[in-house]
């Protein structure tokens, strides 16, 4: 219910405003006030329904809360987001002695292992979204088992992080998930590295918004450099 309502609103409002939205029978056949009927239609199915995956991926990309995790096929993109978030954290807290973490998922191995029945990957059509195309985005989620209507209000939200889920469910010979940790003080050097490779705010968010955001970020970056003494 917590996930379905925001997705339903996102779908209906996008369609109402003439925005391109992926077809889905899960929400499109119900009017705005039919949430009870909608819940009955999905309660006995695994979540997320296949026909709602691309809608959920698009909603997640624009800030709607879902269970999806954002990944990228391009390590430069991952480094960019790690560095920018770290520099923001330095400005907010003034702390330069923490660490930043980058997770690397063994996509090929997990796609062919036994966990692929539960660990699902969503690669939205890049042609419809220049941001996703620039960021080489891919999303993942752990599929929920169906529950019956009597238990729907008793079941608690499972917030177990993916690394712990894989530890309990993956038994392959290869490493499934890598944790790369580095000092937050290296954030500016990391951002400089990816910028040199052509990965900037303007290039990863194509359009005027990306250019404006990059211009506005310069003050934040200079403040972080001052704190770091770089």
């Amino acid at each position: 219910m917590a996930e379905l309502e925001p997705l339903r609103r996102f779908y209906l409002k996008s369609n109402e405003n003439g925005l391109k939205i992926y077809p889905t029978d899960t929400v499109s056949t119900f009017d705005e006030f039919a949430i009870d009927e909608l819940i009955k239609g999905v309660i006995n199915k695994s979540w997320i329904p296949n026909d709602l995956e691309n809608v959920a991926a698009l909603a997640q990309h624009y800030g709607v809360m879902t269970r999806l995790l954002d990944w990228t096929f391009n390590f430069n993109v991952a480094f960019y987001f790690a560095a920018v978030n770290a520099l923001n954290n330095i400005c907010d807290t003034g702390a330069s002695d923490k660490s930043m973490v980058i997770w690397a998922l063994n996509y090929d191995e997990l796609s062919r292992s036994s966990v692929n029945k539960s660990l699902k990957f969503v690669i939205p059509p890049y042609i419809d979204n220049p941001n996703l195309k620039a960021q080489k985005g891919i999303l993942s989620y752990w599929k929920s088992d169906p529950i019956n209507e009597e238990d729907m209000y008793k079941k608690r939200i499972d917030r177990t992080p993916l690394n712990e889920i894989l530890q309990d469910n993956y038994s392959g010979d290869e490493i499934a998930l890598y944790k790369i940790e580095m000092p937050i003080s290296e954030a500016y050097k990391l951002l400089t590295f990816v910028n040199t490779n052509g990965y900037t705010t303007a290039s990863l968010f194509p359009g005027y918004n990306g250019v404006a955001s990059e211009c506005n970020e310069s003050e934040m970056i200079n403040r972080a450099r001052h704190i770091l003494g770089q």
Side-chain angles (χ1 to χ4, degrees):
M1 289 177 66
E3 292 176 273
L4 180 59
E5 174 64 3
L7 289 179
R8 181 184 67 87
R9 288 189 175 277
F10 179 81
Y11 181 92
L12 293 173
K13 288 296 181 182
S14 296
N15 187 55
E16 179 184 321
N17 285 277
L19 299 173
K20 185 170 183 178
I21 194 76
Y22 305 110
T24 168
D25 291 334
T26 303
V27 296
S28 63
T29 55
F30 294 89
D31 64 41
E32 189 174 354
F33 304 102
I35 189 66
D36 291 338
E37 291 300 315
L38 188 55
I39 291 170
K40 291 177 182 178
V42 300
I43 195 67
N44 293 315
K45 299 178 182 178
S46 296
W47 184 265
I48 301 170
N50 291 340
D51 74 325
L52 198 57
E53 285 181 341
N54 281 332
V55 174
L58 188 63
Q60 162 84 7
H61 185 71
Y62 284 100
V64 176
M65 298 290 285
T66 75
R67 71 176 54 201
L68 294 169
L69 294 178
D70 287 297
W71 302 89
T72 175
F73 284 112
N74 190 312
F75 72 89
N76 284 290
V77 177
F79 287 169
Y80 162 83
F81 281 109
V84 169
N85 288 333
L87 291 170
N88 267 306
N89 186 270
I90 290 169
C91 288
D92 290 341
T93 65
S96 58
D97 57 347
K98 297 181 180 180
S99 296
M100 53 183 172
V101 174
I102 296 170
W103 293 94
L105 193 72
N106 192 335
Y107 172 73
D108 290 337
E109 167 64 12
L110 291 171
S111 295
R112 60 174 178 257
S113 74
S114 59
V115 299
N116 71 356
K117 295 178 181 177
S118 297
L119 181 61
K120 300 298 180 180
F121 294 100
V122 183
I123 306 176
Y126 290 160
I127 193 172
D128 295 329
N129 192 304
N131 286 1
L132 283 170
K133 178 183 177 183
Q135 297 167 21
K136 295 296 182 286
I138 174 174
L139 302 100
S140 71
Y141 69 97
W142 193 264
K143 210 171 185 72
S144 289
D145 294 329
I147 58 174
N148 58 50
E149 197 168 345
E150 292 80 28
D151 294 335
M152 63 181 285
Y153 293 105
K154 302 175 185 176
K155 188 174 177 64
R156 302 188 66 181
I157 295 174
D158 185 356
R159 301 191 184 278
T160 307
L162 181 60
N163 57 313
E164 294 182 15
I165 292 175
L166 289 176
Q167 190 173 5
D168 293 337
N169 291 274
Y170 172 74
S171 58
D173 296 327
E174 296 188 29
I175 297 175
L177 192 63
Y178 297 82
K179 183 181 182 181
I180 304 165
E181 192 169 358
M182 62 185 75
I184 198 173
S185 58
E186 298 297 303
Y188 177 68
K189 295 177 184 177
L190 186 61
L191 184 63
T192 302
F193 169 76
V194 297
N195 286 173
T196 302
N197 288 343
Y199 294 86
T200 66
T201 301
S203 69
L204 294 176
F205 296 90
Y208 294 111
N209 285 336
V211 172
S213 294
E214 185 169 322
C215 293
N216 291 334
E217 275 177 4
S218 59
E219 182 181 350
M220 177 273 292
I221 293 171
N222 287 334
R223 280 194 291 130
R225 289 183 66 188
H226 177 73
I227 294 171
L228 293 171
Q230 297 177 359

